[in-house]
Amino acid sequence: MPESVIAIGDALPYLLEGSLVTLIVVVGAMVLGLVLGVPLAAAQVYGPPVLRRLIGLYVWFFRGIPLLVFLFLFYFGLCTALDVNLSAFTVAIIVLGLISSAYQSQIFRGAILSLPEGQFKAARALGMSDLKAICFIVLPQALRLSIPGWSNEYSIILKDSAVTYALGVAEIMARAHFVATRTYQQLPLYLAAGVIFLILTYAGTKGLRLLEEKVRIPGYSPQGF
Amino acid sequence: MEEWLYIQTEVYPALMKGFWVSLQLILPSSILGLFIGIMIGVLRVYGSRPAMAAANTYVALFRGVPLVVQLFIWYFGLPYIKIYLSPFIAAVLGFSLCSGAYHSEYVRGALLSIRRGQMLAAQSLGFTKVQMIFSIILPQAIRRALPGCGNEIIYLIKYSSLAYMITCIELTGQGKILASNSFKYTEIFLIIGACYLAMTSVASLVLNRVEDRLRLPGFEHHRI
Amino acid sequence: MPTPILRIENVSKRYGKKDVLKGVSLTVNKGDLKILIGPSGAGKSTLLQCINFLVKPDEGRIWLDGQEVHYAHKRDLYAYRQKVGMIFQDFNLFDHLNALENVRIGMVKVRGMGNPEAKERAVMELERVGLREHMYKYPAQLSGGQKQRVSIARALAMDPKVMLLDEPTSALDPELIGEVHSVIRDLGNNGMTMIMATHQIGFASSLANEIIFMEDGRILERGTPEMIFCHAENARTREFCSKITELYGETR
């Protein structure tokens, strides 16, 4: 057993560097997903019927196909076909972000729909335009309600990011595999990778719970969440 | 013409082969996963203290570690302690254990949502604890857990593509081989994507149908 | 010589096959307090929401200060809504903002006022409704009566010319009704023009200069409180008034 301990010890700095790569991919994807997901959700709730249909199609498309297939399609397929030179790292963020935007849009949509209709009405009665009402009244509430769903999304993207190893992104899993095949200490290294992921999952979820606590509206506990 | 011939002689047979392997992965894994999920879910609510703790640890571990890592452990890791699994078996094992952990979350939530009165009534009729769980509580809880579990099965369909990474050549794997040989990455992966879209869409339709079929009048539950 | 401030002509609204409003006309003079009474489903709430175009009327025209409101022009509509304050039955305070911010947000985001100025005004309005010491509380930490008073302050901060009050006390526990009524009474004494739907006829008769009885989407009868409550001509009005007196007559 000491051999395996030594192998893990030697590989640890290398693996931790990988977790930095993992975290950058995850944060990048979540931000992209948020930036796309919020307008998608607002448009799906308040937009004209044609737009709603289109967004429904977008969500269906990105939720119905495996991540691995998207990664291959974008990296080996579209990047070559469109003649754009993107690194595996960039493609990983874009693909994870696009998929996440579909999921995040549904989180926000649910949150928007759960707000009482009166909030919107009262904003209108003050003379706010629909856009203002959405930006200042609906979204600040909906985003708070979305944090639990969001923290779930974080742990999903974190775990999915391990799949980007298939493109050669130098994240935790890729590095663990690299060391494992050279030192023949497969099991210990994969377990070590698993432990790092566990720590990242729980640290992130904990962080988001603190955020939720921090932005909680005093005395407010919405039904159904 | 040449294109068409290529599709007929190369693409179609390869994808069909891959599709069958995918189905052979998905069906047993989803059934086994659901079974594990129900058992673990019951243990987490009604189990003895140690059983509860063990079940909770299992769930925390399998939900906290990426499926890829789990698959690598089963396939590339276990030989380290002299256990050798075929890629197929390792994949089914990995899928079932992982999705079981997720299913158990929904089952647990559903079990906790059943009103206490149901249990009191069962106990007053002289049901044993096991009888009560399996004939009164679970039939109600399953209905409540169904939307979540259904989602989980759809996830499983998509995650079955990861079997490729432990050399179990299913739909995605066949696509990768075809694409590498022909350099038609975009076309091939669009077709593969369409196959998965079809599978996930059919599955969600069937699951909604099942949900409707099992719906009881006045027994509220929410579709996610 | 009374000056008409709000004129409503022939407002109609139908939902599917049901006519909710069947051509209602109404003129409100400056300083008037008009009370809408009538059974639920009579169209009082729809009428008030139509006046503010929160519900788009199918037919009808509305003038404020002699100017017709073209609600299809968004800019006109938003400007008009600022001048018409709305108080809801269920308060509709913005749940993510505290009392002060609730009052302030309209001034900042809609009227484009600067933050310090808006804050000063918000504090003043909250003081007017007697809630200065509660201004940092969130809606969920306020009682129903306090919430409704914040919502009145929120509307007042926009300097409305007319206030529409849609059963402002019907979601309140009886012991909280008084505090809201006294705020409304102050408003009336200061010359605010108001249209209010309510079942509190005791309060209504003490303050209103006209009672309007609605039923089935129409105005059936209108007149001074004394006329409507004591000498109504229409049998339906009499029936309704006697029922409602039994229920709410005592409350002032």
Side-chain angles (χ1 to χ4, degrees), chain A residues 123-136:
Chain A
R124 276 186 179 159
L126 282 181
M128 284 195 194
S129 65
D130 287 3
L131 190 66
K132 277 185 185 167
I134 291 170
C135 290
F136 301 125

Side-chain angles (χ1 to χ4, degrees), chain A residues 46 116-125 130 133-134 137-138, chain C residues 54 94:
Chain A
Y46 300 114
E117 202 200 348
Q119 296 289 312
F120 207 99
K121 243 183 196 173
R124 276 186 179 159
D130 287 3
I134 291 170
I137 306 303
V138 174
Chain C
L54 289 174
F94 301 129

